[in-house]
Amino acid sequence: MESDLRAGRIFPVAALNLRWRQKLLDLRHAKRIAVAGGGLTGWLAALMLRRVFSPNVEIVVLEDPDNPAYSGGEGGSGNFIASLERASIDIDEFVRETDATFKIGNAYHGWRADNANDIFYELFPAPDEHVEEVDFSFRGVWPFLATRIATGTPLHTLFPGFSLVATGASQVEANAVFNLRRSGIKPTFHFNVGKFLKLLKKIALSRQISSRSRKVVEFVKSESGDVVALKLVGGAEISADFIIDATGFERLGAEKAYKSVWRSFSSQLPEDRYLSFKIPEERKNPSLVSAAVALANGYLWQVPLRDHVFVHYVFSGKSGTETQIRQALQSYFGFAVTAGVISTYEAGNFKTVWNNNVVSLGVASGFISPLESSSFAHMLQQLGELERTFIACQGIIGAHTIGAFNEANDRSFGEIADFQRMHFDGGRSDSAFWREAGQAKRSPNYEAMKACFSERLPRIIDIAGYNSGWSPLFHLMNWLFVAAPLGIISAGAAIRDLNYLPPRIMERMQQYGAELMRINAANAKPQWKDSGNIEPREQQGFAAYRNYSTVPAGEFGVKPDRQFSESSGTIETAEGNLRATHG
């Protein structure tokens, strides 16, 4: 058996059809693998399959010529650049061909109050860039971050790279800063999906992947439950030994062929519609962050590209009529936007996405919302885990392994839903949409985490419950950088964590805290315009600790009730290292 992965040769081919027998899936004799549907999911899946299978195995992508794939803007995720590198896609060519621009995080406008000056940032931290606040942790706690929360100092200002956002830096200027490896930020990309698809197709065709412009209308199953052929428009069929379902919202695999159980998140997340359009880029330089802008009836998810901004307006069907929704957009932008039809969806996922010899990926497996580019990030994770499974099993995949894949995928969707649900706990309640979102159901897992966050800062062990073979999709820092500005993590919780630090670290945090308080006092200004008695979120709950810099070492206003030894050998002091989780 040939086994050189770099040469793309893992599984030999024999003149036998694939069989599902003895509780295993045997791919060693596959002759043709079909990808139903193009789009990012389909073409990236095809490239993954080409890496894994011998050149003698035909990889064919079937695209619907009458229903073009999504071709708007996408805000890249933390796992995107690694995915490009794994697919041997040249980064410079990608940037050149897709109108890509740097992305260093997300900006949230108006998620705590209906005010234009209410903004917080969730930036993507990078380890080993000589930013002490990010690099140093003790027993799962980042002391510098805890001190910032205790003093009401916005977390994003710790990054030297935030100056790129504050000054509206150009792409050239940003690239120069990133090359110095001192920004503290791990950049990814915004990009034009339509142009990326053209690049992916060109690369795929050069790697012995074939394409057919034919719509798949049905997966044809045998008595064993395997899909043996794909029925095309007009009645023709194409046989296949293994199928990737990339049919998006048509969901020919998990839903229509296998009737998989659907798990809905509609009780947790009220949004169920979106309207997509693009607007001119008014800045001199494209923004380095995706923007989530809260409106009365929903929010805008904005992806800045080189010459325009691509926008999804995400809202609830209860928010108003289509005319009212479009009028709200015109009122916000000051001009009528040219938008297509409103797309409807239900947030949720299929419990079983790998059925026999069919794996449903991307939107075909489930969808939560455009927020945080989570659907794209999750699809990349699915592809990575599927590739790992193929290689580790050498083409002989047990039912237990398939079951583990389905369980891990289901937990990953639960993580996305919980993380997005947290975004609506910032206290905004000035409209029906925001009241419904803030009062929506929370999962038991998120309820428990939220209770912990009110008493202490998040720990890696808090998100470990989402790990069932796959790393959590969102790093601990993602949770912290959203929960803290929303007020889910209080100053008191940060102070309690600081109380448990050894005296030497405590003394350093006293000095750091005093320095922050001096800076905060010198830069004191309203966080947003007067809108009644609303206090800036970064300052709420800290009134009792205004004398922070004069509190004796070891006591930040709360007497610790120590139950654990400072020198316990059972706790790894580096437990909080950034490398401990995905992304």
Side-chain angles (χ1 to χ4, degrees), residues 401-479:
T401 301
I402 293 174
F405 183 97
N406 285 322
E407 180 182 355
N409 182 72
D410 186 57
R411 288 200 182 194
S412 185
F413 269 110
E415 175 198 4
I416 296 169
D418 284 349
F419 184 65
Q420 293 200 8
R421 173 63 185 84
M422 181 177 68
H423 288 63
F424 295 100
D425 277 335
R428 180 165 178 174
S429 60
D430 58 287
S431 69
F433 174 84
W434 289 97
R435 284 191 294 274
E436 180 185 6
Q439 296 168 6
K441 179 182 176 182
R442 303 182 185 95
S443 74
N445 196 67
Y446 171 49
E447 280 279 19
M449 291 172 62
K450 188 171 182 290
C452 289
F453 296 170
S454 68
E455 299 295 328
R456 58 161 173 76
L457 269 62
R459 307 286 201 273
I460 285 176
I461 198 169
D462 291 321
I463 61 175
Y466 295 116
N467 183 344
S468 180
W470 300 4
S471 296
L473 190 62
F474 296 103
H475 189 277
L476 174 67
M477 289 290 185
N478 297 113
W479 289 87

Side-chain angles (χ1 to χ4, degrees), residues 347-583:
N349 70 281
F350 293 103
K351 301 284 287 184
T352 304
V353 298
W354 190 336
N355 296 276
N356 287 42
N357 63 331
V358 178
V359 181
S360 299
L361 300 176
V363 176
S365 67
F367 183 75
I368 306 298
S369 85
L371 189 66
E372 294 264 354
S373 300
S374 57
S375 182
F376 177 65
H378 181 249
M379 179 270 289
L380 295 178
Q381 184 181 45
Q382 289 176 319
L383 284 174
E385 294 298 335
L386 186 59
E387 181 176 4
R388 182 176 68 88
T389 300
F390 283 152
I391 294 171
C393 295
Q394 287 289 294
I396 304 173
I397 306 166
H400 64 297
T401 301
I402 293 174
F405 183 97
N406 285 322
E407 180 182 355
N409 182 72
D410 186 57
R411 288 200 182 194
S412 185
F413 269 110
E415 175 198 4
I416 296 169
D418 284 349
F419 184 65
Q420 293 200 8
R421 173 63 185 84
M422 181 177 68
H423 288 63
F424 295 100
D425 277 335
R428 180 165 178 174
S429 60
D430 58 287
S431 69
F433 174 84
W434 289 97
R435 284 191 294 274
E436 180 185 6
Q439 296 168 6
K441 179 182 176 182
R442 303 182 185 95
S443 74
N445 196 67
Y446 171 49
E447 280 279 19
M449 291 172 62
K450 188 171 182 290
C452 289
F453 296 170
S454 68
E455 299 295 328
R456 58 161 173 76
L457 269 62
R459 307 286 201 273
I460 285 176
I461 198 169
D462 291 321
I463 61 175
Y466 295 116
N467 183 344
S468 180
W470 300 4
S471 296
L473 190 62
F474 296 103
H475 189 277
L476 174 67
M477 289 290 185
N478 297 113
W479 289 87
L480 197 152
F481 273 70
V482 174
L486 290 176
I488 296 169
I489 302 171
S490 67
I495 289 167
R496 278 186 283 273
D497 269 356
L498 291 168
N499 283 332
Y500 282 92
L501 295 174
R504 191 165 67 117
I505 299 177
M506 176 73 79
E507 182 179 358
R508 174 68 183 93
M509 293 306 105
Q510 287 278 3
Q511 298 168 355
Y512 182 65
E515 178 184 352
L516 290 175
M517 294 295 283
R518 285 193 295 271
I519 293 173
N520 291 346
N523 297 333
K525 61 180 180 179
Q527 298 295 309
W528 52 68
K529 297 178 182 178
D530 183 23
S531 58
N533 296 320
I534 299 175
E535 185 180 12
R537 177 67 60 176
E538 287 82 1
Q539 298 176 13
Q540 290 181 14
F542 194 69
Y545 308 105
R546 291 299 185 189
N547 60 342
Y548 178 96
S549 60
T550 62
V551 177
E555 294 191 29
F556 283 68
V558 179
K559 184 71 174 178
D561 179 15
R562 298 189 182 275
Q563 298 292 331
F564 297 94
S565 167
E566 291 181 3
S567 59
S568 171
T570 62
I571 301 179
E572 178 62 52
T573 58
E575 183 261 353
N577 192 290
L578 278 170
R579 297 184 188 84
T581 62
H582 176 79

